[in-house]
Amino acid sequence: MSISKPAIEVQGLAKVFDGVTAVKDVSFSVPRGQTVALLGANGAGKTTTIAMLLGLILPSAGRILMLGEDMVRHRHRVLPMVNFSSPYVDLPRRLTVEQNLLIFARLFGVARPRTRLAELAAALDLTPFMKRPSGQLSAGQRTRVSVAKALVNEPKVLLLDEPTASLDPDTADWMRGYLKAYQKRTGCAVLLASHNMAEVERMAHEVLMMRQGEIVDRGSPAALIARFGRRDMEEVFLDIARGVPPAPGRAHDAVRTP
Amino acid sequence: MILRHTYLMRTSWPRIFELMYWPTIQMILWGFITRFLLTNSSYVAQAAGVLVSAVLLWDVLFRGQLGFSLSFLEEVWSRNLGNLSVSPLRPYEFLLSLMAMSLLRTLIGVLPAAGLAIVFYQANLFDLGLPLVAFFSVLIMFGWAIGMMVCALILRVGLGAENVAWLAIFLIAPVSAIYYPVSILPEALRIVAWILPSAPVFEGMRAILIDGVVRYDLMAHAFGLVFLYLVLGAGLFLYAFHVARRRGLLLQIGE
């Protein structure tokens, strides 16, 4: 794949479930080494978009190229270089953390799986509970294991749906730093769906704002904040979710709550 | 709580079906056995261990199907299907792994029981000799084929159909001629019996244990049919997987 080509290219993506449009004409790209965030209220189409990119849902229309390959036709050529974490999936709870991660290391064809597991355990502070069944972990510990699973194959494309949702603020902040360092080291492209605006401001190079299945606005966090005349992404999010148009002159006004 | 379970039942026809299923199947199965024993008790008495061997071979089919379906259900219950679907694991590799697990579960379940049958009843399943390998192969492959169809149904309608994994195999029990010959069945059911690979296996087993004859015609019949069922089962599973991807069910599969 050419280095100049984006890691993810999405053109005219749409999904209709039994006559209900979940995603409508979505187009975007994620360059290598960059993070693009999907933002939107619940039901905006973020998870459906990510699931289509992963091949878990077949699109009704549109094209998805990942690392230069068509994800609908040739996803198995790309999947060894892709990974994800999502609150909609889990790992078998009776298996230990080590067993679960080892299974996925082998499924992804990791060359030295036990060495990779040791690296991940050290980096994500999993060592104390590697031998414990996954079902006995706290929500925060399970989230870290889920991220470890997502990084087990050192992916070139990483799709993260709410990666820090169950983490305390300190651990969540540390996790964001870890993911940014990983991206800097590997040049990984990250597509992130999150409701945590601080996370988006810190991690995302570009933000795609979704409402009712469509991208209604886009730009870097700084550009969106400036265009909407707000102090942070939290306020921009509320404006867009409520259909308030950009108003640069309104800078630093407080967002009124209904 | 009654309302909660009533809501669940009203939205899931497999749950209602299951309530009626077991009593009906048990009644039909043992009705035929009784009918056969009333007229042929001396015939059975001549062939020591024929019923015990039938029970053990039936368990190969039952455990084979259950081992396949439960290995699949474990992934659904643990919400791991999404993880597996986004790994390099291909659907046919997934099917092969389920078959391997089914074989392992079946051997773990049936071998000790076969040993106990020798100790307690002096009924040695291995007296069937080399044909036992053929019988075992046909029955476990038929179990896989039914397992694939059950998994396809679960992919299609969700975990409301999980009980089908336990009861599907018993739907064919009365017409598989496990404990009695196909000839004891009513005419219409004989036709059904001969389009299942299980009936020729049990007929073949009785031919060896009672008449001392190896019926190669029955073996060929059983192998021919079981390959057709395997192709049908794999086709249904892959189609259901495709539909699940189209309808977005892989992340949501549940009750």
Side-chain angles (χ1 to χ4, degrees), chain A residues 4-27:
Chain A
S4 59
K5 274 198 166 183
I8 304 173
E9 284 180 273
V10 175
Q11 295 161 0
L13 194 65
K15 183 65 193 177
V16 180
F17 292 111
D18 297 325
V20 178
T21 301
V23 173
K24 187 179 175 186
D25 195 24
V26 163
S27 298

Side-chain angles (χ1 to χ4, degrees), chain B residues 11-68:
Chain B
T11 57
S12 172
W13 62 263
R15 283 184 165 88
I16 297 171
F17 179 67
E18 190 209 0
L19 294 176
M20 300 179 286
Y21 184 82
W22 288 109
T24 310
I25 291 294
Q26 291 284 65
M27 182 271 293
I28 293 170
L29 187 64
W30 288 101
F32 284 133
I33 292 171
T34 307
R35 194 165 134 188
F36 176 58
L37 291 179
L38 280 174
T39 52
N40 297 277
S41 54
S42 59
Y43 181 68
V44 173
Q46 289 168 9
V50 70
L51 284 176
V52 174
S53 298
V55 167
L56 289 170
L57 280 181
W58 168 250
D59 229 36
V60 171
L61 177 54
F62 178 52
R63 298 290 150 197
Q65 186 276 134
L66 203 59
F68 187 99

Side-chain angles (χ1 to χ4, degrees), chain A residues 15 17 51 54-58 75-76 79-80 84 87-92 104 107-108 149, chain B residues 75 78-91 242 244-248 250-251:
Chain A
K15 183 65 193 177
F17 292 111
L54 290 167
L56 288 170
I57 296 178
L58 290 172
R75 61 194 288 264
H76 282 97
L79 284 175
F84 81 116
Y88 292 96
V89 296
D90 205 350
L91 294 168
F104 280 95
L107 277 176
F108 278 95
K149 181 243 119 190
Chain B
E75 306 304 349
S78 59
R79 297 198 304 144
N80 194 33
L81 206 54
N83 280 322
L84 295 176
S85 304
V86 187
S87 77
L89 184 74
R90 289 170 183 266
H242 176 80
R245 283 180 67 205
R246 199 175 67 217
R247 300 185 66 199
L250 290 177
L251 281 177

